[in-house]
Amino acid sequence: MAFDYDLFVIGAGPAGLAAAKQAASYGVRVAVAEQEAIGGTCVNRGCVPKKLIVYAADFAQSNQMAHHYGWSECQQHFDWTIFIKSVHQHLDRIHLCYYEQLQQAGIELIRKHATFVDAHTLELDGRKVTADKILIAVGGRPNKPDIPGIEYAITSREMFHLPYLPERLAIIGGGYIGTEFSSMMHAFGCEVSVIESEAMILSGFDDDICSSVQQGLSQRGIRFFTNSTAQKITLSEDGLLLTITGEGQETIIADTILVATGYIPNTKNLNLEKAQVELGEHGAIKVDEFNRTTQENIFAVGDCISRVQLTPVAKAEGKAVANTIFGNKPQKLNYDFVPSAVFCRPEVASVGMTEAKARQKFGQAVKCYCTHFQPLLYQLSEPNEQITIKLVVDEDSQRVLGAHMVGEHAADIIQSLGVAIRKGITKQDLDETIGIHPTTAEEFLSLS
């Protein structure tokens, strides 16, 4: 059978774009369907605009510290509307760059919603196309709890389109998104409350790291309600009333309520059943180690398979699928040493095993090296600002199993350590390495 395309990609986010470009490099016919802006969640309502907001918030903190470094105080005003307009102008430039890259690679971009007719046929708003191989890279969508009044709340998607900064912000969820927005919006002067169902924020990170970052954010003035659950939202003359239950019942008054309770696979309205593609828990697409679905010619990558919901992982999965199908290079990913970061202030980063996971696997052979100290930057201004660094080590082999950090430049430092840990670096290797002084990273070389 002759097909219209060798590969058809549903979704032009990081995973879909990476797969399409890699496949096109092998000289095959590729098309991508995307009904929204190119770049997916990361570019349009995630990593990129969020990091720009982090930078804007950092100026507020720097200005507060400046007089300790000899700068005279002056009155400054932050204009959210000017800033957010600049953000969207930058995103427009990224969209244009992506579009030009697709054109140069000979990849057809179809601005329509794709649904399955059968395993090789897709319908795009009335037009039918066929493909030998199909890749599903539709990402995820915000998960909203089913509580009364949830229609008054917004998700991270709408945070980048706020017409003005709220004076009072309540955030339901203390994961990546909730923690980052709590830090950023507080720096802009918002009164922020975070509601988290677990005992600490950032579930999944090392316990010492979770404790350290929550303490740091609390010292900045962010209120945390842990072991608490949102029950209902009501509209009143004073604003939005968020009722929560934990040890007792409490009502939080807010101008804006952000729901940040994670993402779920965006697999609705694809007619996957017509292609006999099976779904698992929470609508995630079932795939094997090579990202092949239950239909032999259909693959899936990124947030819609719910393995590791991170942009670099999605891109790597997309490239791996293209190499497997068209490069005669069967490729599967190793998820053991995927670094991650939370761009709050203080910043959080981690790679490898947490202490809890290491003890599950290695038991008493695990030894942890952890220290807290005040960085030089804050010694003139913020006496309570602390950095936490931690190494998880297998004492029998001396191999470093994990590295974790809370503090300035955590993401860049852990990123570099991630390469070494993946290659099997030992505690002795770190001890024998000469550091750069004075830096934060050198402290990883002298832990005892």
Side-chain angles (χ1 to χ4, degrees):
M1 177 180 177
F3 297 102
D4 297 323
Y5 303 99
D6 298 301
L7 175 67
F8 196 99
V9 181
I10 306 175
L17 291 173
K21 288 187 283 188
Q22 187 70 11
S25 72
Y26 291 111
V28 301
R29 296 166 301 162
V30 182
V32 179
E34 177 55 67
Q35 61 182 338
E36 295 192 281
I38 305 176
T41 296
C42 179
V43 167
N44 297 291
R45 47 195 175 272
C47 320
V48 175
K50 190 169 57 180
K51 192 67 181 288
L52 291 172
I53 297 178
V54 170
Y55 290 145
D58 282 346
F59 284 107
Q61 186 174 354
S62 296
N63 289 338
Q64 291 173 3
M65 295 170 54
H67 71 278
H68 293 287
Y69 278 85
W71 291 89
S72 59
E73 295 188 53
C74 59
Q75 191 68 29
Q76 291 185 313
H77 171 70
F78 174 69
D79 192 317
W80 169 262
T81 56
I82 292 176
F83 164 68
I84 210 68
K85 180 179 179 181
S86 297
V87 169
H88 288 293
Q89 287 173 343
H90 177 66
L91 299 185
D92 288 341
R93 291 193 291 270
I94 295 177
H95 298 155
L96 179 60
C97 180
Y98 279 150
Y99 181 71
E100 290 174 347
Q101 289 175 2
L102 292 176
Q103 281 191 315
Q104 291 170 4
I107 299 167
E108 183 180 353
L109 176 63
I110 303 173
R111 300 276 195 171
K112 294 180 180 180
H113 176 66
T115 57
F116 281 92
V117 176
D118 57 45
H120 288 282
T121 309
L122 294 163
E123 183 170 342
L124 300 122
D125 297 340
R127 171 192 172 190
K128 289 184 180 179
V129 299
T130 60
D132 183 17
K133 301 291 190 296
I134 298 173
L135 175 65
I136 305 169
V138 292
R141 55 187 172 85
N143 180 39
K144 297 181 76 171
D146 185 15
I147 61 172
I150 194 63
E151 66 273 13
Y152 295 117
I154 65 172
T155 68
S156 55
R157 187 184 184 100
E158 292 80 42
M159 284 295 289
F160 304 106
H161 297 279
L162 287 176
Y164 56 86
L165 285 174
E167 292 184 11
R168 302 164 297 183
L169 173 67
I171 301 175
I172 304 173
Y176 281 82
I177 297 171
T179 301
E180 288 179 331
F181 273 114
S182 73
S183 172
M184 293 182 281
M185 303 309 276
H186 179 266
F188 292 138
C190 300
E191 179 185 300
V192 179
S193 302
V194 178
I195 297 86
E196 169 57 42
S197 60
E198 302 288 336
M200 287 188 292
I201 62 172
L202 296 178
S203 175
F205 280 83
D206 187 272
D207 286 349
D208 286 328
I209 297 305
C210 297
S211 176
S212 181
V213 70
Q214 186 167 317
Q215 181 179 354
L217 291 170
S218 295
Q219 288 175 352
R220 282 167 165 77
I222 297 171
R223 294 195 304 166
F224 288 94
F225 298 87
T226 54
N227 291 319
S228 299
T229 306
Q231 295 298 318
K232 66 178 180 179
I233 302 170
T234 53
L235 181 63
S236 75
E237 293 182 356
D238 296 328
L240 296 172
L241 306 181
L242 174 60
T243 302
I244 64 172
T245 56
E247 295 180 357
Q249 182 169 301
E250 189 158 353
T251 299
I252 299 170
I253 304 176
D255 304 303
T256 300
I257 297 176
L258 167 64
V259 176
T261 50
Y263 272 63
I264 56 177
N266 192 27
T267 51
K268 286 186 175 181
N269 304 317
L270 292 175
N271 293 339
L272 291 172
E273 67 282 357
K274 293 185 177 181
Q276 297 181 336
V277 172
E278 294 182 11
L279 300 178
E281 191 175 4
H282 304 302
I285 298 173
K286 291 182 179 180
V287 293
D288 65 13
E289 58 187 353
F290 294 102
N291 291 89
R292 191 187 303 270
T293 70
T294 48
Q295 181 62 254
E296 186 178 5
N297 71 298
I298 300 176
F299 297 75
V301 293
D303 288 0
C304 66
I305 64 173
S306 289
R307 276 184 178 160
V308 179
Q309 293 183 326
L310 294 171
T311 295
V313 172
K315 291 172 67 175
E317 288 171 343
K319 288 183 179 180
V321 165
N323 289 332
T324 297
I325 300 173
F326 302 108
N328 197 26
K329 304 172 186 175
Q331 187 178 349
K332 53 185 178 181
L333 257 60
N334 180 352
Y335 297 92
D336 290 341
F337 298 103
V338 176
S340 58
V342 184
F343 294 105
C344 54
R345 296 294 182 260
E347 192 167 277
V348 186
S350 176
V351 66
M353 291 185 179
T354 63
E355 179 180 352
K357 288 186 177 180
R359 293 199 184 281
Q360 287 177 2
K361 184 172 183 178
F362 295 98
Q364 295 300 313
V366 173
K367 183 174 181 180
C368 294
Y369 300 81
C370 186
T371 188
H372 311 271
F373 61 94
Q374 185 183 22
L376 182 60
L377 173 63
Y378 295 101
Q379 290 186 11
L380 299 184
S381 59
E382 298 288 343
N384 294 322
E385 187 73 23
Q386 294 286 306
I387 280 180
T388 298
I389 62 174
K390 182 175 182 178
L391 286 177
V392 180
V393 178
D394 174 11
E395 278 287 274
D396 292 341
S397 65
Q398 281 293 294
R399 183 176 179 181
V400 178
L401 304 173
H404 314 277
M405 179 176 170
V406 175
E408 56 170 337
H409 309 308
D412 291 314
I413 293 170
I414 292 297
Q415 175 75 83
S416 298
L417 277 175
V419 178
I421 292 173
R422 182 174 176 272
K423 290 296 185 180
I425 195 172
T426 65
K427 178 65 168 62
Q428 184 178 359
D429 290 329
L430 291 176
D431 293 342
E432 294 175 355
T433 299
I434 298 174
I436 300 174
H437 183 74
T439 62
T440 299
E442 68 175 319
E443 300 295 332
F444 274 104
L445 311 178
S446 57
L447 285 170
S448 60

